[in-house]
Amino acid sequence: MEQQTPPLLFILLLCTFSANSSFQPALVLEMAKILLENYCFPENLVGMQEAIQQAITSGEILQISDRKTLASVLTVGVQGALNDPRLTVSYEPNFVPVTPPMLPSLPIEQLIRLVRNSVKLEILENNVGYLRIDRIIGEETAAKLGSLLRDNIWDKVALTSSLILDLRYSTTGQLSGVPFIISYFSDPEPLIHIDTVYDRPSNTTMELWTMPSVKGERYGKKKDVIILTSKRTVGAAEAVAYTLKNLKRAIIVGERSAGGSVKVKKIRIGGSEFYITVPVARSVSPITGQSWEVSGVSPTVNIIAKEAVAKAKSLLAIRSAIPNIVKSISDIIGRLYAFTDRVPALQQQLQSTDLFSVTSEEDLAVRLNQDLQTVSEDPRLIIKYMQDNGAIVEEDPELYKVPDDPELLRALVDTTFKVEILPGNTGYLRFDKFVESPALTKLEEVMAKTVWEPLKDTKNLIIDLRYNTGGCSTFLALILSYLQDTSQKHHFFTIYDRIQNTTTEYYSRTQITGPTYGSKRGVYVLTSYYTASVGEEFAYLIQSLHLGTVIGEITSGTLMHSKMFQVEGTDLAITVPFINFIDNNGECWLGGGVVPDAIVLAEEAVDHVHDISDFHQGLRSLMEGTGELLEKHYAIHEVALKVSKVLLSKWVEGMYWSVVDFESLASQLTTDLQEASGDHRLHVFHCDVEPELLHDVAKIPTAEEVGYIIDALFKIELLPGNVGYLRFDMMADIEVLRAIGPQLIKLVWSKITNTDALIIDMRYNTGGYSTAIPLLCTYFFDAEPLLHLYTIFDRTTTTMTEIMTLPQVRGQRYGSSRDVYILTSHMTGSAAEVFTRTMKDLNRATIVGEPTIGGSLSSGTYQIRDSVLYASIPNQVVLSAITGKVWSVSGVEPHVIAQASDALHVAQRLIAGKLLKREHGEYYVFTSSCHSSQIHRNL
């Protein structure tokens, strides 16, 4: 840590001193020398140069004759320059330095008296230890008093259940005693590096570590320790508090400490009566990389010092209860939580949770809740702090039971269910709770006459759950049965009850009293923020079973099938789901609210039903229209036939009830097309006006535009080893290339054609026109014979076109013997892929980088019937000249796979390696397949 004296500072001070004869410049010079030799941050002194120069050359200090005023001005200057409030200059003509006695040199009787006066130990109620230390004694003193400290302090402290360490009045002490105290609160192994102290005058660094052995019994790492601090706590006591806090071994209660220093000296400035106070040593914690100096130690619990003991006692009472609280919560989860397979992990997490910094029940609830949510991934499992400690009220299931008496039953159905026939022959059914009846047959008979008979011939059905707050889940199956065809049995949901340890499957009823509504007509379920509990389950099942469309507001998110338990003796409560509601896909619904297919204000939901039902009437026509376009234009006809059937099948199965407008239909169609075909290029989009063709006839550039086009499209560079580099990010049309041909040959091609190897960078080339691909390929082959590059099949014209190299090209060919490397990325697409794949198939280039996107040479845009939907359909495919197989969808697999950002460097290393082998009489030839590459050595 040796520091060099800043030479500019000395030169500045010497020049200043020689130019002035008054005492002030000499004072500044001496002060600077003291700082250079003693200040614990010498690296910061370079910043003083401008400040000192400005102070002296401005003449401000030369005009100050009053010594005390001058001291104040110098203090402000040096503190501002070094940003250190501990640096102070004082004028003290009568200063008498006081040298405190070295404690180890005192007689043993005085040392004992000193320790007894500065250390106080009590055993409080509940076996809480109270240890007050007003002076941190150093290592030597501790060694001399070892048996006394062991017998009267540490062995007694070790027997306590928890400890309050009071450092509020600790204003003095030695840093060497810090490891002695820290060691009592840590394990013997491993040793912990707790502090690093740099001393500037001696230019030495000292490391403080915990001790492998101590006199007496250690307190260990498990029992609670609370340290009390105040604004007066300073020096070594701050080091103790700071270290134990950041080792997560103690909780700090009280006020922010003073923010003292490891070592501060008051040094006389030359022969004057001015003194400067300088921090000569600094501490840096290896635990945090920071220090307690100047800023002090911030408490975990902030409270005025005089109330700290009382607060510490109450905090220890809370912390002593934590193990029992955690055990109670663990037991509740073990007995009741519905996800039995997650119980062991949850209980393990509760046992291993770090609760070191918990200082209140509210803290405990937050910490435990975070851990339980993370492990269980179940928003229903919640721990809350209930400050009012009010009684937990559970909903009375009797509210949803209906009587057996026929008259009472009829009256209840009449008041519970509201049935109307709206304009457009739309049925309307509102009920605000899911009732439960032991006389289910009688209830069905009443409902058949009152509800389903009036609704049986309606065009669509609205089920209004906007005011439904829940009820009995078993009634769900009855209602849902009326919305299915009775020709076959349908599974609706499963309920697992942990308390009863039963699993119940709910199916559609094979025999229904009265007419069923069936699944062919539209069912529209209305929701609001008030829709809760079983009402939410019904809306969820309508979506999960694809029986209809949910319209309205997101539901309340009521946590269902849960019990709340008060943790005895606390203000904590845990909500545990004891029932799992599992849909017919095997997924457990965890609540959290149902998101409607169409989110609208609840009061406007009925109006939106009419618009959405009209939209649904035209869905089949749009699905059929999409299939017809595929069969007519998609390049692979057998795939088109398959996808067309899949679309219609999904519509029949109700998969499109969630689609409520053209935007959502376009999104769903795109997903289904790509999933069924495996072709990510198929795309449906919504457009209010007829879209323009993606590929217009290329515009031939003017003579003025040629230079700009070349600069914009092409980048060339000559790399070390006579390696050419060519990057172009768009595939231009053949007519454009012909128009700019002479300038392109002169400005680009001629500069790289004589290189020993060539790197073509296609990482940012997303495609363009395919017409120029044969021309580009031709430059890398000999004139004779002409080569078959690839074949294009066009579905629209049902033609196969073989693409060949050209017999003649402008300028010099690169030929077929020199190495070519093509760089690719996941962005490389369309015509850029065709060029890359062709060069790979013909073993003319080594491909380096990432697999390409799998684009298409040509896609047509077609309107779906007379709607505002358009389908982008690839109508051409590329067949390999070597294998005859289609590769467009899968893209191009590189010979050497590398991150796109590293591809250029990888290619350069390959070239360098190849050159090195050739110099040793060896050469390598790359051969490849779609997924692998091999290097064959020829000797």
Side-chain angles (χ1 to χ4, degrees):
M1 195 175 284
E2 184 178 354
Q3 303 291 336
Q4 295 184 350
T5 301
L8 291 177
L9 183 56
F10 270 133
I11 294 171
L12 173 63
L13 292 170
L14 289 170
C15 292
T16 304
F17 182 61
S18 62
N20 298 278
S21 58
S22 57
F23 81 93
Q24 292 94 334
L27 186 69
V28 173
L29 174 60
E30 292 296 336
M31 185 175 71
K33 288 181 179 178
I34 292 171
L35 290 172
L36 288 168
E37 294 171 358
N38 294 278
Y39 184 48
C40 62
F41 290 100
E43 63 271 18
N44 294 348
L45 294 173
V46 177
M48 290 181 61
Q49 297 175 24
E50 294 182 3
I52 293 175
Q53 182 182 32
Q54 182 179 358
I56 296 179
T57 57
S58 67
E60 179 183 355
I61 64 171
L62 299 177
Q63 299 172 10
I64 302 174
S65 58
D66 182 75
R67 264 53 174 176
K68 289 190 176 182
T69 303
L70 178 60
S72 298
V73 171
L74 291 173
T75 297
V76 172
V78 74
Q79 287 182 358
L82 296 175
N83 192 29
D84 193 334
R86 298 172 295 176
L87 291 163
T88 58
V89 179
S90 60
Y91 174 69
E92 302 181 57
N94 300 316
F95 176 73
V96 178
V98 177
T99 303
M102 298 295 290
L103 291 185
S105 63
L106 294 176
I108 190 69
E109 294 79 10
Q110 284 186 261
L111 282 178
I112 293 172
R113 192 180 308 117
L114 179 70
V115 170
R116 283 176 174 167
N117 290 336
S118 59
V119 179
K120 177 185 177 183
L121 174 63
E122 291 182 53
I123 307 300
L124 307 178
E125 189 180 359
N126 297 320
N127 197 31
V128 174
Y130 171 83
L131 177 61
R132 171 175 163 176
I133 300 178
D134 296 347
R135 173 193 288 269
I136 306 297
I137 61 174
E139 183 180 6
E140 291 182 50
T141 306
K144 288 182 83 172
L145 302 176
S147 59
L148 175 71
L149 296 173
R150 179 194 63 206
D151 297 340
N152 293 282
I153 297 175
W154 295 114
D155 282 357
K156 292 181 179 180
V157 166
L159 297 175
T160 60
S161 302
S162 56
L163 178 66
I164 299 173
L165 178 58
D166 192 346
L167 301 180
R168 290 176 295 171
Y169 311 99
S170 186
T171 57
T172 186
Q174 293 176 277
L175 205 63
S176 64
V178 172
F180 177 74
I181 295 177
I182 301 297
S183 297
Y184 276 94
F185 301 102
S186 60
D187 294 333
E189 295 291 340
L191 298 183
I192 304 170
H193 183 193
I194 58 177
D195 209 344
T196 299
V197 179
Y198 168 64
D199 183 81
R200 173 59 185 157
S202 62
N203 196 31
T204 58
T205 300
M206 175 179 65
E207 292 184 351
L208 301 182
W209 291 73
T210 54
M211 303 162 64
S213 62
V214 293
K215 291 193 175 182
E217 188 177 346
R218 293 178 187 257
Y219 203 69
K221 294 175 63 176
K222 294 183 178 180
K223 293 185 281 189
D224 283 328
V225 176
I226 294 180
I227 296 178
L228 310 184
T229 58
S230 72
K231 296 174 183 176
R232 300 171 59 190
T233 307
V234 71
E238 291 183 281
V240 170
Y242 186 83
T243 302
L244 288 175
K245 176 186 177 183
N246 288 291
L247 285 174
K248 293 188 175 182
R249 184 60 194 92
I251 295 172
I252 312 300
V253 174
E255 301 167 336
R256 180 181 287 272
S257 64
S261 297
V262 173
K263 191 176 180 182
V264 175
K265 280 187 177 180
K266 181 179 279 191
I267 304 172
R268 189 173 185 176
I269 304 176
S272 72
E273 295 175 322
F274 287 85
Y275 294 83
I276 181 169
T277 302
V278 182
V280 296
R282 70 188 190 204
S283 163
V284 176
S285 168
I287 303 164
T288 65
Q290 299 175 342
S291 176
W292 47 267
E293 295 184 280
V294 182
S295 59
V297 182
S298 60
T300 312
V301 178
N302 204 329
I303 196 167
I304 60 175
K306 67 179 182 180
E307 297 177 3
V309 173
K311 183 64 178 178
K313 289 178 180 178
S314 65
L315 200 156
L316 285 173
I318 292 171
R319 292 192 57 78
S320 66
I322 287 177
N324 288 332
I325 294 173
V326 171
K327 185 178 185 304
S328 295
I329 292 171
S330 179
D331 290 344
I332 292 170
I333 291 174
R335 287 188 292 107
L336 297 173
Y337 187 43
F339 281 117
T340 54
D341 57 323
R342 302 181 190 180
V343 168
L346 288 168
Q347 292 178 327
Q348 176 62 35
Q349 182 64 37
L350 286 171
Q351 292 300 318
S352 61
T353 297
D354 180 9
L355 302 175
F356 160 74
S357 60
V358 169
T359 58
S360 66
E361 286 187 355
E362 189 171 6
D363 277 352
L364 180 61
V366 171
R367 183 68 55 82
L368 293 179
N369 196 57
Q370 287 174 344
D371 285 357
L372 292 184
Q373 292 284 304
T374 301
V375 175
S376 70
E377 298 181 341
D378 188 343
R380 305 171 299 167
L381 184 62
I382 299 174
I383 296 177
K384 287 184 177 180
Y385 174 67
M386 303 178 68
Q387 192 169 13
D388 58 0
N389 202 17
I392 300 172
V393 179
E394 295 189 8
E395 192 172 47
D396 184 2
E398 297 295 325
L399 293 173
Y400 302 106
K401 288 190 175 180
V402 298
D404 294 343
D405 183 87
E407 294 300 321
L408 294 176
L409 185 64
R410 180 179 296 277
L412 184 62
V413 170
D414 288 342
T415 56
T416 302
F417 295 90
K418 179 182 178 183
V419 177
E420 288 184 57
I421 307 299
L422 303 180
N425 194 25
T426 297
Y428 174 87
L429 169 61
R430 168 181 166 180
F431 56 99
D432 299 343
K433 61 181 178 180
F434 286 82
V435 296
E436 180 182 12
S437 174
L440 196 58
T441 304
K442 294 180 180 179
L443 177 63
E444 279 191 71
E445 292 175 356
V446 176
M447 287 185 58
K449 295 178 181 177
T450 309
V451 177
W452 300 113
E453 188 66 34
L455 296 173
K456 66 177 182 179
D457 295 323
T458 54
K459 185 179 178 182
N460 297 299
L461 175 62
I462 296 174
I463 299 178
D464 192 347
L465 301 181
R466 289 176 293 178
Y467 313 97
N468 193 305
T469 56
C472 177
S473 293
T474 56
F475 191 64
L476 284 171
L478 176 61
I479 298 291
L480 290 170
S481 295
Y482 280 91
L483 304 179
Q484 288 282 12
D485 299 320
T486 56
S487 57
Q488 57 183 346
K489 194 176 184 180
H490 301 276
H491 177 255
F492 290 145
F493 59 93
T494 301
I495 286 183
Y496 169 69
D497 189 319
R498 174 66 191 280
I499 295 176
Q500 304 296 328
N501 194 27
T502 57
T503 300
T504 308
E505 304 273 354
Y506 288 88
Y507 292 88
S508 59
R509 296 170 64 85
T510 53
Q511 292 188 359
I512 293 292
T513 303
T516 61
Y517 200 76
S519 61
K520 304 302 181 186
R521 289 171 282 181
V523 175
Y524 300 92
V525 175
L526 311 186
T527 60
S528 75
Y529 295 123
Y530 300 105
T531 307
S533 185
V534 183
E536 294 180 277
E537 288 178 347
F538 184 82
Y540 172 78
L541 289 171
I542 287 292
Q543 292 179 325
S544 175
L545 296 168
H546 309 293
L547 294 178
T549 308
V550 180
I551 302 172
E553 299 167 340
I554 299 173
T555 60
S556 70
T558 302
L559 295 174
M560 296 172 292
H561 310 307
S562 300
K563 284 185 178 291
M564 182 179 284
F565 298 88
Q566 191 89 32
V567 180
E568 187 177 356
T570 73
D571 290 334
L572 300 181
I574 178 170
T575 301
V576 183
F578 66 95
I579 283 179
N580 274 342
F581 185 89
I582 305 163
D583 67 15
N584 65 340
N585 297 314
E587 295 180 3
C588 178
W589 187 48
L590 302 178
V594 176
V595 180
D597 302 306
I599 300 178
V600 300
L601 292 174
E603 56 267 27
E604 299 175 1
V606 174
D607 295 331
H608 280 81
V609 167
H610 301 296
D611 296 333
I612 294 171
S613 64
D614 289 343
F615 173 77
H616 284 162
Q617 292 301 312
L619 272 181
R620 183 183 181 100
S621 174
L622 293 174
M623 310 295 280
E624 291 173 343
T626 304
E628 290 168 1
L629 290 175
L630 285 171
E631 292 174 27
K632 183 176 181 181
H633 299 289
Y634 187 58
I636 308 173
H637 188 59
E638 57 271 22
V639 173
L641 292 173
K642 169 193 166 188
V643 174
S644 180
K645 291 179 180 178
V646 168
L647 289 182
L648 200 56
S649 173
K650 282 179 172 286
W651 178 83
V652 170
E653 292 169 5
M655 300 295 186
Y656 279 79
W657 284 121
S658 60
V659 171
V660 295
D661 52 29
F662 285 109
E663 288 84 356
S664 58
L665 176 57
S667 175
Q668 187 62 50
L669 276 174
T670 298
T671 299
D672 290 342
L673 288 173
Q674 293 180 359
E675 184 180 281
S677 66
D679 190 342
H680 64 272
R681 302 167 301 171
L682 282 167
H683 181 68
V684 175
F685 60 94
H686 168 263
C687 191
D688 292 323
V689 295
E690 186 174 352
E692 297 180 2
L693 292 175
L694 296 178
H695 295 292
D696 296 328
V697 177
K699 179 187 175 184
I700 305 302
T702 64
E704 294 78 15
E705 294 172 333
V706 169
Y708 170 77
I709 290 175
I710 291 175
D711 288 341
L713 291 184
F714 298 93
K715 177 184 177 183
I716 59 169
E717 193 175 342
L718 192 61
L719 302 176
N722 196 31
V723 176
Y725 172 85
L726 170 63
R727 168 179 165 179
F728 55 101
D729 299 343
M730 188 184 81
M731 302 294 285
D733 181 69
I734 185 63
E735 296 303 325
V736 173
L737 286 183
R738 285 171 179 162
I740 66 175
Q743 294 92 330
L744 187 61
I745 295 295
K746 178 181 177 182
L747 298 175
V748 177
W749 185 244
S750 64
K751 295 181 180 180
I752 56 175
T753 190
N754 292 317
T755 54
D756 294 330
L758 179 63
I759 297 174
I760 302 175
D761 194 344
M762 309 288 280
R763 290 176 293 177
Y764 313 99
N765 195 317
T766 57
Y769 295 89
S770 62
T771 51
I773 296 174
L775 174 62
L776 294 175
C777 289
T778 299
Y779 276 95
F780 298 99
F781 295 97
D782 298 330
E784 294 292 340
L786 298 182
L787 294 177
H788 178 201
L789 298 174
Y790 54 89
T791 299
I792 296 176
F793 171 68
D794 190 312
R795 175 66 187 169
T796 305
T797 60
T798 63
T799 58
M800 301 277 283
T801 305
E802 289 190 351
I803 306 300
M804 310 290 292
T805 54
L806 305 179
Q808 292 182 338
V809 291
R810 190 190 300 271
Q812 180 182 340
R813 293 175 186 250
Y814 201 76
S816 59
S817 60
R818 285 175 286 178
D819 291 335
V820 177
Y821 296 80
I822 300 177
L823 311 183
T824 60
S825 76
H826 63 278
M827 296 170 58
T828 309
S830 188
E833 287 182 286
V834 177
F835 170 73
T836 303
R837 178 59 184 251
T838 301
M839 294 288 281
K840 178 184 178 184
D841 277 353
L842 297 175
N843 290 324
R844 185 60 193 92
T846 300
I847 316 302
V848 180
E850 299 170 342
T852 62
I853 192 171
S856 173
L857 268 185
S858 174
S859 289
T861 301
Y862 310 96
Q863 186 177 13
I864 301 176
R865 296 280 164 95
D866 58 351
S867 73
V868 292
L869 294 182
Y870 294 83
S872 176
I873 301 176
N875 50 26
Q876 291 183 348
V877 289
V878 181
L879 285 73
S880 168
I882 304 302
T883 65
K885 294 181 180 180
V886 174
W887 60 265
S888 306
V889 178
S890 58
V892 181
E893 189 79 12
H895 293 102
V896 180
I897 295 179
Q899 293 283 338
S901 56
D902 297 331
L904 177 57
H905 301 296
V906 171
Q908 288 180 284
R909 288 198 297 269
L910 289 172
I911 294 170
K914 202 167 188 179
L915 178 62
L916 185 63
K917 293 295 182 182
R918 283 176 176 169
E919 289 176 353
H920 288 80
E922 301 176 5
Y923 69 93
Y924 289 78
V925 177
F926 279 83
T927 63
S928 67
S929 66
C930 213
H931 299 289
S932 63
S933 65
Q934 295 179 334
I935 301 177
H936 295 273
R937 175 181 293 184
N938 298 281
L939 299 179

